[in-house]
Amino acid sequence: MTAYDRLLSRFSRIAALGEAASMLHWDASAVMPLGGGAARGEQLATLAGLSHEMLTDRRVEDDLAEATAEGEWHEANLALMRRTHLRATALPVELVEATARANSACEKVWREAKARSDFSAVRPFLEEVLRLQRETAQALAVRTGLSPYDALMDSFQRGVTAAEVEPVFEAYAAWLVEALPRAEAIQARHGDPLPLRGPFPTAAQRELCRSLSLRLGLEEAHSRLDESLHPFCGGTPTDVRITTFYSEVDPAKAILGVLHETGHALYERGLPASFARQPVGEAAGMAAHESQSLIVEMQACRSDPFLRFLSGEMRAAFGDDPSLEAGNLARNWRRVERGFIRVDADEMTYPAHVILRFRLERAMIEGRLEAADLPGAWSEGLRGLLGITPPDDARGCLQDIHWHDGAFGYFPSYTLGAMAAAQLMKAARQAEPELDAAMERGDLSPLLSWLRREVHGRASLLGFQDLLRAATGKPLDTSDFTAHLSARYLAE
């Protein structure tokens, strides 16, 4: 075997361990009993340690020094192997395992703390997670030459830094100051929508959600739909696990959640099988991933054409009620409202929630904010962005799983993904003139085919900006996002 062949084999085995960890994470959120938390933390720590040891083995360094690769994909794969190894060797295995244990322990306590709106219960666990994240960030910064926070951001979306994100976010916050009151005034003139009249039985919602996911292109033989406190997409590219949360009063929580997670799942299913379990065969990062969930949920499935199709599906599932008419669904599901909960936010105010988290997590990693001061900083920050103050910590700093599971540097990906989704949808409409007509029939195949060519099939061959250049002819252009929002919310 050549040095590169040995690397291919090793990275494939490391990826398989990662797939096992992904399944254990899914199980912990979807079906594991509460008493399994401590053992699960140890299992995940062991897998993280094994992966780290395999990646930092001295033979990997020797093979990377010797290896050569031919062809665009293999050259990119070797470059990504070197990047992965550089980051891994910056971290001692003891830190990797301690981080996995701390994240798992904190995440379990967070579930109870959120239910009771009791930040004090999770605070010491979050402090330990933050301590380890700061240590990780500093170690990565020394090795990569990035700032500590940028080093964490690079874990989720390579090549994007806080210096690039901050002016984009500040410009959006300034735009929102003027646009949000205008949107609210226009909405008020149109009157309130009819509330969706239920109840909406969970069994009927579950059947509808699964049928929608399959209709969008997710194969039954390669996917599952389950329930969890926080909707997510996990598993592996050939065994995708999506979850949602059902409310018999509000079917949007489940339906829109499944449409969003199906976008993630379709991306995983579209990755090139010929480079499975190799760095170049993975998704291009979390901003790229969010662009795929949001182009499905926000750009396609909340559009007027698709809502006309979905209205018929909902009336068949729940009864022919006027509140389920397409125009009323649009007024409900495209309603601008200053709210406390990120996952329930409309697409105009959603970036404000992300900007708040970006500012706070950056301050925490840089040592300018301690975990103990997070509730107050959260309330002050949300008041500055949206003019509202959360009434309790469950609707404030306890609402998201991310920090309690050690995911610092992730949040910018959400809004970068939303902006990229608008840009990609504009290009897809230009390339596929029949796209809207197909969506009115509930057919996303023209969009999916375009995404398979332009995004999914390229995997990690290109970085985020180069991927957008290849698909749309330009790097991230935030004006496409504000133009989309203006057309949807500011038109009289």
Side-chain angles (χ1 to χ4, degrees), residues 352-380:
H353 293 269
V354 171
I355 292 167
L356 170 65
R357 288 151 176 81
F358 166 71
R359 292 171 176 173
L360 294 177
E361 69 177 10
R362 189 180 180 189
M364 282 191 282
I365 293 300
E366 293 175 353
R368 295 181 285 111
L369 177 67
E370 297 301 328
D373 300 319
L374 183 58
W378 185 288
S379 295
E380 182 181 351

Coordinates of all heavy atoms in Angstrom, one line a residue, residues 352-380:
A352 N -31.4 38.0 14.1 CA -31.2 38.8 15.4 C -30.8 37.8 16.5 O -29.9 38.1 17.3 CB -32.3 39.6 15.7
H353 N -31.5 36.7 16.5 CA -31.2 35.7 17.6 C -29.8 35.1 17.4 O -29.1 34.8 18.4 CB -32.3 34.5 17.5 CG -33.7 35.0 17.9 ND1 -34.1 34.9 19.2 CD2 -34.7 35.5 17.1 CE1 -35.4 35.3 19.2 NE2 -35.7 35.7 18.0
V354 N -29.4 34.9 16.1 CA -28.1 34.4 15.9 C -27.0 35.4 16.2 O -26.0 35.1 16.8 CB -28.0 33.9 14.4 CG1 -26.6 33.6 14.0 CG2 -28.9 32.7 14.2
I355 N -27.3 36.7 15.8 CA -26.3 37.7 16.1 C -26.1 37.8 17.7 O -25.0 38.0 18.1 CB -26.8 39.1 15.6 CG1 -26.8 39.0 14.0 CG2 -26.0 40.2 16.1 CD1 -27.6 40.2 13.4
L356 N -27.2 37.7 18.4 CA -27.1 37.7 19.9 C -26.1 36.6 20.4 O -25.2 36.8 21.2 CB -28.4 37.6 20.5 CG -28.5 37.3 22.0 CD1 -27.9 38.6 22.8 CD2 -29.9 37.0 22.5
R357 N -26.3 35.4 19.9 CA -25.5 34.3 20.3 C -24.1 34.4 19.8 O -23.2 34.0 20.5 CB -26.2 33.0 19.8 CG -27.5 32.6 20.5 CD -28.4 31.8 19.6 NE -29.6 31.4 20.3 CZ -30.7 32.2 20.5 NH1 -30.7 33.5 20.1 NH2 -31.8 31.7 21.1
F358 N -23.9 34.9 18.6 CA -22.5 35.1 18.1 C -21.8 36.1 19.1 O -20.6 35.8 19.4 CB -22.6 35.7 16.7 CG -21.4 36.3 16.2 CD1 -20.3 35.5 15.8 CD2 -21.2 37.7 16.0 CE1 -19.1 36.1 15.3 CE2 -20.1 38.3 15.5 CZ -19.0 37.4 15.2
R359 N -22.4 37.2 19.4 CA -21.8 38.1 20.3 C -21.5 37.5 21.7 O -20.4 37.7 22.2 CB -22.7 39.4 20.5 CG -22.8 40.2 19.2 CD -23.9 41.3 19.5 NE -24.0 42.2 18.3 CZ -25.0 43.1 18.2 NH1 -25.9 43.2 19.2 NH2 -25.1 43.8 17.1
L360 N -22.4 36.8 22.2 CA -22.2 36.2 23.6 C -21.2 35.1 23.6 O -20.3 35.0 24.5 CB -23.6 35.7 24.1 CG -24.6 36.7 24.4 CD1 -25.9 36.1 24.8 CD2 -24.2 37.8 25.4
E361 N -21.2 34.2 22.6 CA -20.3 33.1 22.7 C -18.9 33.5 22.4 O -17.9 33.0 22.9 CB -20.7 31.9 21.7 CG -20.6 32.2 20.3 CD -21.0 31.0 19.4 OE1 -21.5 30.0 20.0 OE2 -20.8 31.1 18.2
R362 N -18.8 34.5 21.5 CA -17.4 35.1 21.3 C -16.9 35.7 22.5 O -15.7 35.6 22.9 CB -17.5 36.1 20.1 CG -16.2 36.6 19.6 CD -16.4 37.6 18.5 NE -15.2 38.2 18.0 CZ -15.2 39.2 17.1 NH1 -16.3 39.8 16.7 NH2 -14.0 39.6 16.7
A363 N -17.7 36.5 23.2 CA -17.3 37.1 24.5 C -16.9 36.0 25.5 O -16.0 36.2 26.3 CB -18.4 38.0 25.0
M364 N -17.7 34.9 25.6 CA -17.3 33.9 26.6 C -16.0 33.2 26.2 O -15.2 33.0 27.1 CB -18.5 32.8 26.6 CG -19.7 33.3 27.4 SD -20.9 31.9 27.7 CE -21.7 31.8 26.1
I365 N -15.8 32.9 25.0 CA -14.5 32.3 24.6 C -13.3 33.2 24.9 O -12.2 32.8 25.3 CB -14.5 31.8 23.2 CG1 -15.6 30.6 23.0 CG2 -13.2 31.3 22.7 CD1 -15.3 29.4 23.9
E366 N -13.5 34.5 24.6 CA -12.5 35.5 24.8 C -12.3 35.9 26.2 O -11.4 36.7 26.5 CB -12.7 36.7 23.9 CG -12.6 36.4 22.4 CD -13.0 37.5 21.5 OE1 -13.5 38.6 22.0 OE2 -12.9 37.4 20.2
G367 N -13.1 35.4 27.1 CA -13.0 35.7 28.5 C -13.6 37.0 29.0 O -13.4 37.5 30.1
R368 N -14.4 37.6 28.1 CA -15.0 38.9 28.4 C -16.4 38.7 29.1 O -17.0 39.6 29.6 CB -15.2 39.8 27.2 CG -13.9 40.2 26.6 CD -14.1 41.1 25.3 NE -14.5 40.3 24.2 CZ -15.7 40.4 23.6 NH1 -16.6 41.2 24.1 NH2 -16.0 39.7 22.5
L369 N -16.9 37.4 29.1 CA -18.2 37.1 29.7 C -18.0 35.7 30.4 O -17.6 34.8 29.7 CB -19.3 37.1 28.6 CG -20.7 36.6 29.1 CD1 -21.2 37.7 30.1 CD2 -21.6 36.5 27.9
E370 N -18.5 35.6 31.6 CA -18.5 34.3 32.3 C -19.8 33.7 32.3 O -20.9 34.4 32.1 CB -18.0 34.5 33.8 CG -16.6 35.1 33.9 CD -15.6 34.1 33.3 OE1 -15.8 32.9 33.3 OE2 -14.5 34.7 32.8
A371 N -19.9 32.4 32.5 CA -21.2 31.7 32.4 C -22.1 32.2 33.4 O -23.3 32.3 33.2 CB -20.9 30.2 32.6
A372 N -21.7 32.6 34.6 CA -22.5 33.1 35.7 C -23.3 34.4 35.2 O -24.4 34.6 35.7 CB -21.7 33.4 36.9
D373 N -22.7 35.1 34.3 CA -23.3 36.4 33.9 C -24.1 36.3 32.6 O -24.6 37.3 32.1 CB -22.2 37.4 33.7 CG -21.4 37.7 34.9 OD1 -22.0 37.8 36.0 OD2 -20.2 37.8 34.8
L374 N -24.3 35.1 32.1 CA -25.0 34.8 30.9 C -26.4 35.3 30.9 O -26.9 35.9 29.9 CB -24.8 33.4 30.5 CG -25.4 33.0 29.1 CD1 -24.8 33.8 28.0 CD2 -25.2 31.5 28.9
P375 N -27.2 34.9 31.9 CA -28.6 35.3 31.8 C -28.8 36.8 31.7 O -29.6 37.3 30.9 CB -29.2 34.8 33.2 CG -28.3 33.7 33.5 CD -27.0 34.1 33.1
G376 N -28.1 37.6 32.5 CA -28.2 39.1 32.4 C -27.7 39.6 31.0 O -28.4 40.5 30.4
A377 N -26.6 39.1 30.5 CA -26.1 39.5 29.2 C -27.1 39.2 28.1 O -27.2 39.9 27.2 CB -24.7 38.9 29.0
W378 N -27.7 38.0 28.2 CA -28.7 37.6 27.2 C -29.9 38.6 27.2 O -30.3 39.0 26.1 CB -29.2 36.2 27.6 CG -30.1 35.6 26.6 CD1 -31.4 35.9 26.3 CD2 -29.8 34.5 25.7 NE1 -31.9 35.1 25.3 CE2 -30.9 34.2 24.9 CE3 -28.7 33.7 25.5 CZ2 -31.0 33.2 24.0 CZ3 -28.7 32.7 24.5 CH2 -29.9 32.5 23.8
S379 N -30.4 38.9 28.4 CA -31.6 39.8 28.4 C -31.2 41.1 27.8 O -32.0 41.7 27.0 CB -32.1 39.9 29.8 OG -32.6 38.7 30.3
E380 N -30.1 41.6 28.2 CA -29.7 43.0 27.7 C -29.5 42.9 26.2 O -29.9 43.9 25.5 CB -28.4 43.4 28.4 CG -27.9 44.7 28.0 CD -26.6 45.1 28.7 OE1 -26.1 44.4 29.6 OE2 -26.0 46.1 28.3

